[in-house]
Amino acid sequence: GAVVSQHPSRVICKSGTSVKIECRSLDFQATTMFWYRQFPKQSLMLMATSNEGSKATYEQGVEKDKFLINHASLTLSTLTVTSAHPEDSSFYICSALSRARSYEQYFGPGTRLTVT
Amino acid sequence: GQQLNQSPQSMFIQEGEDVSMNCTSSSIFNTWLWYKQDPGEGPVLLIALYKAGELTSNGRLTAQFGITRKDSFLNISASIPSDVGIYFCAGLVSGNTPLVFGKGTRLSVIA
């Protein structure tokens, strides 16, 4: 199956610092990637849709200046959490859309962010 | 926004038993997907359904796309301990739109 990687898998940072999370599609091109946030024992919550070469589309209630998304190539999208606060601690998961596979979405393994 | 109602929320079964879970929606989806998520991992695609009425199998897993396009079910036959995890249904309206997720079914298998 299609492979999506995320880096780092877990990160601990101090309050006020910024953290960048990378999402890569390893064996297919992804013109669209999605970023999700997941709280314990809950479903995935869509944060934004990232399209290669254009600005991301953010869901209602998600601050675009706080969660910066860059989709610079067909295989890489990055999410930067700026000026992180403890309430930003969460599990962040990306998914990549494969047009070659009938628009199936493949998920990365997730990034556990802890802000102290 | 669109929502999927997934049930049951959780289930405890004996190893070897069959399992059934389903999702319903008030609106139509053109693709239904079933994912499994292990703790601390991202969801893994199990089965994708593209046509109303379609019945698809993947090993011990069988899923169907409801004829009204508003529901789908997933069956797991002869459950084993590694089936433990959270199963999510997801609906897709069109190509590059976001998935709409159900709230998940947490499956526990007792050996």
Side-chain angles (χ1 to χ4, degrees):
Chain A
V3 180
V4 176
S5 70
Q6 272 184 250
H7 179 78
S9 58
R10 57 185 63 198
V11 56
I12 301 173
C13 71
K14 292 187 177 180
S15 187
T17 61
S18 295
V19 174
K20 180 186 285 188
I21 302 170
E22 293 185 348
C23 177
R24 294 181 185 271
S25 56
L26 298 184
D27 55 354
F28 65 99
Q29 293 184 333
T31 54
T32 302
M33 291 184 174
F34 302 94
W35 286 95
Y36 297 84
R37 185 173 180 177
Q38 187 177 32
F39 292 104
K41 298 187 178 182
Q42 294 191 21
S43 188
L44 288 76
M45 182 184 76
L46 180 67
M47 297 176 66
T49 301
S50 167
N51 291 300
E52 187 265 337
S54 64
K55 290 184 178 180
T57 303
Y58 290 82
E59 294 300 298
Q60 192 172 10
V62 178
E63 299 176 56
K64 62 179 68 175
D65 293 331
K66 179 166 186 62
F67 298 99
L68 300 179
I69 291 173
N70 186 306
H71 194 156
S73 77
L74 288 172
T75 59
L76 173 65
S77 176
T78 61
L79 169 68
T80 301
V81 182
T82 62
S83 187
H85 290 280
E87 57 265 31
D88 297 326
S89 299
S90 189
F91 194 52
Y92 292 87
I93 308 174
C94 71
S95 72
L97 186 67
S98 171
R99 286 187 177 178
R101 292 181 170 90
S102 302
Y103 292 102
E104 291 173 2
Q105 291 188 28
Y106 294 88
F107 286 83
T111 296
R112 171 75 58 193
L113 170 63
T114 303
V115 184
T116 60
Chain B
Q2 293 174 307
Q3 289 187 354
L4 294 183
N5 299 309
Q6 186 172 349
S7 64
Q9 189 174 6
S10 63
M11 23 187 348
F12 292 81
I13 61 168
Q14 293 279 350
E15 183 178 358
E17 288 184 348
D18 297 343
V19 173
S20 184
M21 58 192 79
N22 69 85
C23 270
T24 60
S25 170
S26 58
S27 56
I28 288 172
F29 289 98
N30 293 310
T31 301
W32 283 88
L33 303 162
W34 285 92
Y35 290 87
K36 182 190 178 208
Q37 185 178 27
D38 291 326
E41 300 287 334
V44 174
L45 181 63
L46 299 174
I47 291 181
L49 302 157
Y50 302 105
K51 288 174 55 177
E54 178 182 356
L55 183 71
T56 297
S57 293
N58 178 7
R60 294 178 296 107
L61 277 60
T62 301
Q64 183 157 31
F65 190 150
I67 197 71
T68 64
R69 292 194 281 163
K70 293 183 179 181
D71 64 295
S72 176
F73 71 74
L74 173 71
N75 288 341
I76 305 173
S77 63
S79 59
I80 59 178
S82 61
D83 291 334
V84 166
I86 303 176
Y87 293 79
F88 290 102
C89 63
L92 187 65
V93 174
S94 64
N96 59 349
T97 57
L99 292 172
V100 178
F101 279 91
K103 294 192 174 182
T105 295
R106 185 179 296 272
L107 178 64
S108 300
V109 179
I110 304 168

